[in-house]
Amino acid sequence: MMKYEEQIRAYFDDPAKQRELVAAVCRLVSIRSVRGEAQPGMPFGEGPARALDEALKLCDELGFATKNHDGYVGTAELNDKDTILHILAHMDVVGEGKGWDTDPYGPVEKDGVLYGRGVADDKGPAVAALFAMKCVKDLGIPLNHSARMILGTDEESGSEDIAHYYATEPYAKYTFSPDADFPVINIEKGHYHPDFGSTWAKAEVLPRVTGLKGGFRTNVVPPEAEAVVAGVSAADVEAAARQTAEETGAAFTVEETDGGVHVHCAGKNAHAASPDGGNNAITALLTLLDRLPLAGCGSTAAIKSMHTLFPHGDTRGKALGIAQEDELSGPLTLNLALMTLDETGFSAKFDVRFPICANEDNCKKACEASFAAHGISVTGDGDMTTVHHTDANSPFVRTLLTCYENYTGVKDAKPLAIGGGTYVHDIPGGVAFGCELPGSDPRMHGPNERIPVADLVLSCKIFAQAIAELCG
């Protein structure tokens, strides 16, 4: 048992303390803090500003010295000693969307599970970290340093808040963000998402593809795509569609229109960081179109080239010549996210999450060489970002893992590498640490976002121990 563990467990096992925790989370979740139009003192709109104000009131009530940094972030200080630990959380949320069984901003607890927009991402974890700070303070655990909670308001829309804060404030020796998974995320892959395409003279030959459109966001596996094919019968397309549906698992709808045969493809969306969980409608549609007896012209060449470079199911970039992986960070992943084609050209964009071993030669330049061989050129946004990597054997990561192991009973926990990015991606030495436990499904960004109260309580204990270890 770690020092102070018995006291920390007892502190949060108190039912009254747990009710106080839930009430505090609900208090913040009841504010719709989706980014809006900037106003004076509210750089990200009224909602995030209101949530930040309420969070700072909560921090004041818990006995912490607080400060509002120009409406971008708010801070709460554990004590008046030098700060060695930053804890990054955020008060903004994504829009509620549709499909909720409860009021997304009327948080409720059912059967020990808390529901509402932000209970898991990230108001619940933020309150858990605040209560952990309060626990350390109430128990009188001796500290040599301070921890600072940093409450942001723009994590979901680009993290301008944190960039603003660190433009004038120094980094801390240690930084963690309770806005992802346990046990610890220490590697976040780099991103590469160029715009590319080609142009050609309008042709009149038949059959040909006269238009194509698919995808809606770079970081989402496209669930839908559609095309119009002139000079071909619906019966011919339907035969190819049946074969392609069997091969790809996508669903096709074919109908005659005045402009030609309209083909709609339905796949399955997923986050671009985990493309294997989706079914790419664009690449499935390219598979179908390449199967048709199209005449030689610019659009046909583009369809064939795109199908060659992005065959359906290739989420590793093998055909593009950039597939690679390493033991620490895993494989490169690829999602062909957007594509638009008309009578005189096409443009497209993919989302690659690359591992530590990737570099400009084996990723960017290799991709551009494959494009060039097909007459395709990169038109913009062709730079690679950096991989975020904090050493798994650092005392910081080892301490966090030990705290997690002690309170969960998990043995030999391993840090994680992910394709997504967290609040600490650009912060030296930072890691993501909780609150999502292995096997849980918080439904972040979807309807019925949720988190078990027991998971929040467990997170409080883990965070309190981590604060005690790092600041003691």
Side-chain angles (χ1 to χ4, degrees), residues 1-13 135-136 139 141-142 399 401-411 457-458 460-466 468-469:
M1 180 172 286
M2 302 181 80
K3 196 173 183 182
Y4 310 116
E5 183 179 337
E6 187 174 350
Q7 296 98 306
I8 291 171
R9 287 184 181 274
Y11 183 91
F12 285 112
D13 285 341
C135 168
V136 171
L139 293 178
I141 295 175
T399 296
L401 288 173
T402 300
C403 293
Y404 170 80
E405 291 171 345
N406 263 53
Y407 285 88
T408 62
V410 173
K411 302 299 182 185
V457 172
L458 178 60
C460 288
K461 296 174 182 178
I462 296 171
F463 293 154
Q465 189 71 56
E469 297 296 323

Side-chain angles (χ1 to χ4, degrees), residues 5 18 67 118 138 213 288 325 334 380 400 425 444 469:
E5 183 179 337
Q18 295 180 14
K67 182 178 180 180
D138 288 349
K213 184 176 182 180
L288 166 58
E325 64 181 294
L334 180 147
L400 297 181
H425 189 89
M444 292 183 185
E469 297 296 323

